[in-house]
Amino acid sequence: MNAAALGIVLSVVRYEERRLLSEMDGRGLSVHRLDPRAVSFAPEQIAQLPGMTVLNREISAQRALLMAETLEAFGAFPVNDAAASRICGSKWSTYLQLRQSGIPTPTTLLAQTPEAGLLAIEAIGYPAVVKPLGSSWGKRVSLITDRYAAEAVLEHCAELPSAAMRTAIVQEAVRPGSPDLRGIVVDGDFLGAIVRSGTDWRNNVARGAAVELLAPDDEVRRLCLEATAAVGARVASVDLVEGADGRRLVLEVNSRPEFRGFESATGVDVAARIVDLCAGGVLEEKESA
């Protein structure tokens, strides 16, 4: 058994990582920090991994997935696992998983070329939203209101340096500018939900969106639990939008959620709940050793 049975993957320490590290330290947990920018998985590094529970908080989706896959290959237990990281790291993969699980989600089409993108936008109708396969904080997410804007955005996508970056999804715009909802689930437990109201049509807390507590809502709870289970995540945030008819739709599932706004609005100690999950894995391993 390793002296450090708990690990954390991170390269950038934000509010969430400070909270998690402080919680781990306050419990006297021995934590092995893995920075993807410095880990090459040399033999001496690999030797530390078997049996280790590792919380994956890497900010880069690509590095997070590579770390999860590698940790699993060498006998560690990443939270979330590689399968969930792979699905949540791609908005198209997330959409497919939600759709296959019967979870309501906005109409979404794939655009691997500008030509396909224009056809997708015309099929959905204006306004439509064009998103990259993977992004956070609303970056490179565009609200398309006419064909001129569509052509400009898709031409820009076509000039990006990799096939993955050039690929986009086209999604119906569900009441753009209206507040959306975010729920958080940890180990099958719904911790609550907040309402986010942005300063533009995107409701990202990182962009200055205001947050408030959502009153208990059975439908939101059910959709958050179902969406988290559909992608196979043990820790996740679920973003939802509400259509003009009042129907809730799951927009995204994030396997490495930010929770600063959530904690401030709800008073729920998300960091403690996540560490409960990870430390529980450590305790289970000790008991079985």
Side-chain angles (χ1 to χ4, degrees), residues 106-163:
T107 300
T108 304
L109 304 176
L110 184 64
Q112 299 189 74
T113 65
E115 294 77 18
L118 284 173
L119 290 172
I121 292 170
E122 295 292 340
I124 284 178
Y126 299 99
V129 178
V130 174
K131 299 179 177 180
L133 288 180
S135 71
S136 300
W137 315 299
K139 290 183 177 179
R140 290 183 55 219
V141 177
S142 302
L143 182 64
I144 307 299
T145 56
D146 56 55
R147 186 177 177 91
Y148 299 112
E151 290 175 343
V153 168
L154 292 169
E155 286 175 5
H156 172 73
C157 290
E159 296 301 316
L160 294 172
S162 71

Side-chain angles (χ1 to χ4, degrees), residues 71-82:
L71 288 166
E72 285 184 1
F74 292 128
F77 302 96
V79 180
N80 287 298
D81 66 16

